[in-house]
Amino acid sequence: MEIGYNKPYPAGNEIIYIADAVKKQHISGNGYYTKACHRFFEETYQFKKVLLTSSCTDALEMAAILLDIQPGDEIIMPSYTFSSCPNAFILRGARIVFADSLPDHPNMDISSIRSLITPKTRAILAVHYGGTACDMDALMELALEYNLFVIEDAAQAIDSFYKGRPLGGIGHLGCMSFHESKNITCGEGGLLIINDERFAARAEVIWEKGTSRAAFFRGEISRYTWTDIGSSFLPSELNAAFLYAQLERLKDIQDRRLRAWIYYNNALSDLDELQPPMLPGYSTNNAHCFYLICRSGEEKTALESWLKIRGIQALGHYLPLHTSDFFVEKHDGRILPNTDKYADCLIRLPLFYELTPIEQQLIIKSIKDFKQSRANQLGENINMTTRVIPLKYANNDR
Ligand SMILES: *Cc1c(COP(=O)(O)O)cnc(C)c1O
């Protein structure tokens, strides 16, 4: 039996809606299904304004344009994240200042940010790793004190909440992803969430190649014209139609993923050297990923190979951006030990809608066998049943 890390789940109506978009004879952007997706997000999460984009990367690039980031401006963000985060701002000439992760969670350590703020700092990008919220109250307070913008990278955070507030809806702007690797997908897709109304009108222009086309099609103006910089950030109706079919099934998809996540957590939370995710009480859990944190990079690599031989694809995650080939010369030299730890030691287990309990049992047994084999090798006496760590998945009542 081969168990891959991820398997995109067809929710059912994707092809029907794509056929319908074709029948409606509007397959470019901003048609029926784009509007249906917008309405879904605005109604489900009370987001003030959203715009579907071709990717979360696009949404981040739109955010950088909207904030009018200029050459030399500084943006603070975690090093333990995806290259799209710094790229969006580097494209505008900004300087990136990387912050470390928390000791007990891959999310950025908000308390480490204050010392990184300079007169040139313009914005902070918070990444909600694995759909777990950053401490947004602390972050928004700090941003207010220094008059900084906050952008949420909620790429992995659909349907997850911070103290009852939907992630992506708290900072000035939020960005989401519908890439194949995320809970809800249309292959490649994203969303810009505009929480600060000052950005709403301009966002629509940037979205439509710097023109007033969106207002024109609403009948607000008699002809549309070039009014600003912009790009082609909107997805075609074919992608939006696919996405809408997934959004219709959001609750079921999230429930299934959460069930699988809890199954892992129950079975693996007593392996005290391989730590399951720690979730802070202020965040819900949208079951984007389930990971273990090994004691060393060597142990993580050994576990990855052990599982691979048994047909199970487990994956590490980000390599630190501050020491990447592209950035290492630009970095200010600070050591970010927690970032390095997660890069070396974090391993993600298969998690997708159709993952079965039988497959999970096999994965869990393989991990326990690995532990036993290592214990024998190292002469350790590991009694895996004596230590009980309380369940740490958050309470999902909203
Ligand atoms: C997936 C992801 C992105 C990029 O999303 P795309 O839709 O592929 O552009 C950005 N940031 C984070 C944290 C992600 O997980």
Side-chain angles (χ1 to χ4, degrees):
M1 181 156 46
E2 292 280 328
I3 309 172
Y5 174 73
N6 184 39
K7 191 160 127 192
Y9 172 65
N13 285 337
E14 284 89 345
I15 303 300
I16 294 167
Y17 292 165
I18 288 173
D20 184 52
V22 172
K23 206 169 114 217
K24 285 185 162 62
Q25 299 190 337
H26 179 155
I27 56 174
S28 63
N30 202 13
Y32 177 86
Y33 284 101
T34 300
K35 291 184 174 88
C37 290
H38 286 175
R39 212 175 319 114
F40 177 90
F41 282 102
E42 289 167 359
E43 284 170 7
T44 308
Y45 303 111
Q46 275 79 54
F47 293 148
K48 287 200 194 94
K49 182 167 177 67
V50 298
L51 291 170
L52 275 193
T53 55
S54 302
S55 62
C56 180
T57 303
D58 271 2
L60 288 161
E61 288 177 19
M62 283 186 72
I65 295 172
L66 272 171
L67 298 184
D68 201 22
I69 298 302
Q70 297 294 318
D73 286 350
E74 292 178 2
I75 316 293
I76 298 170
M77 65 179 68
S79 173
Y80 194 71
T81 186
F82 192 59
S83 58
S84 294
C85 297
N87 272 341
F89 298 91
I90 287 177
L91 282 167
R92 315 239 63 81
R95 196 177 151 254
I96 308 300
V97 178
F98 285 117
D100 204 3
S101 297
L102 289 160
D104 58 357
H105 193 279
N107 275 348
M108 183 161 62
D109 181 352
I110 306 298
S111 72
S112 76
I113 293 177
R114 184 182 292 273
S115 67
L116 304 176
I117 296 173
T118 76
K120 290 189 168 167
T121 307
R122 290 287 316 284
I124 301 167
L125 176 67
V127 180
H128 303 299
Y129 183 81
T132 301
C134 293
D135 187 351
M136 291 306 291
D137 280 348
L139 181 58
M140 296 309 287
E141 226 168 87
L142 187 70
L144 190 65
E145 186 182 334
Y146 288 92
N147 194 25
L148 305 173
F149 289 115
V150 172
I151 304 150
E152 293 175 77
D153 180 334
Q156 307 171 7
I158 190 169
D159 202 43
S160 196
F161 294 76
Y162 172 82
K163 298 184 182 173
R165 299 165 71 190
L167 298 186
I170 302 169
H172 298 84
L173 298 165
C175 304
M176 230 173 240
S177 175
F178 310 116
H179 182 265
E180 182 177 302
S181 56
K182 311 302 198 248
N183 293 22
I184 296 291
T185 181
C186 60
E188 304 275 358
L191 186 76
L192 179 69
I193 304 158
I194 300 133
N195 303 314
D196 183 330
E197 276 158 3
R198 284 177 295 173
F199 296 119
R202 190 167 177 238
E204 228 176 42
V205 170
I206 292 166
W207 190 57
E208 272 276 27
K209 300 104 178 167
T211 72
S212 49
R213 197 164 185 269
F216 171 73
F217 279 110
R218 277 197 305 268
E220 293 168 13
I221 48 178
S222 60
R223 48 196 293 216
Y224 77 86
T225 172
W226 182 26
T227 62
D228 201 337
I229 61 167
S231 190
S232 184
F233 287 120
L234 71 176
S236 92
E237 277 290 285
L238 304 179
N239 278 42
F242 193 108
L243 183 66
Y244 190 66
Q246 295 255 312
L247 291 172
E248 277 185 337
R249 295 281 305 280
L250 175 78
K251 192 178 172 339
D252 173 40
I253 291 171
Q254 300 294 83
D255 285 352
R256 274 283 279 267
R257 294 184 72 103
L258 191 62
R259 212 182 315 152
W261 195 101
I262 291 169
Y263 195 101
Y264 274 139
N265 199 56
N266 285 344
L268 295 172
S269 59
D270 61 353
L271 297 180
D272 51 346
E273 281 84 5
L274 296 171
Q275 291 174 7
M278 195 287 297
L279 298 180
Y282 51 66
S283 180
T284 58
N285 176 15
N286 75 343
H288 174 64
C289 60
F290 186 91
Y291 53 84
L292 296 170
I293 298 167
C294 299
R295 284 172 295 181
S296 68
E298 186 275 324
E299 187 175 58
K300 177 247 173 193
T301 309
L303 176 57
E304 198 172 346
S305 315
W306 177 277
L307 293 174
K308 191 174 174 197
I309 291 164
R310 287 157 182 78
I312 298 161
Q313 187 187 27
L315 298 175
H317 211 173
Y318 304 120
L319 294 176
L321 293 176
H322 69 291
T323 51
S324 62
D325 287 350
F326 179 72
F327 202 82
V328 67
E329 298 296 324
K330 301 172 185 68
H331 181 58
D332 56 24
R334 279 172 300 117
I335 292 169
L336 306 178
N338 296 326
T339 303
D340 292 340
K341 178 181 80 174
Y342 297 116
D344 289 343
C345 304
L346 184 150
I347 184 165
R348 295 173 294 161
L349 304 182
L351 182 62
F352 47 87
Y353 184 95
E354 289 170 301
L355 185 67
T356 65
I358 290 169
E359 288 171 322
Q360 283 195 283
Q361 278 161 22
L362 183 78
I363 296 164
I364 290 159
K365 179 173 185 311
S366 300
I367 293 169
K368 292 192 169 174
D369 289 348
F370 170 80
K371 285 286 301 178
Q372 198 53 56
S373 145
R374 297 274 288 187
N376 295 344
Q377 251 174 44
L378 301 171
E380 285 176 11
N381 177 18
I382 294 177
N383 182 344
M384 296 196 301
T385 56
T386 52
R387 233 189 98 178
V388 178
I389 297 177
L391 285 188
K392 283 178 183 153
Y393 61 87
N395 176 356
N396 263 37
D397 296 341
R398 286 170 205 155

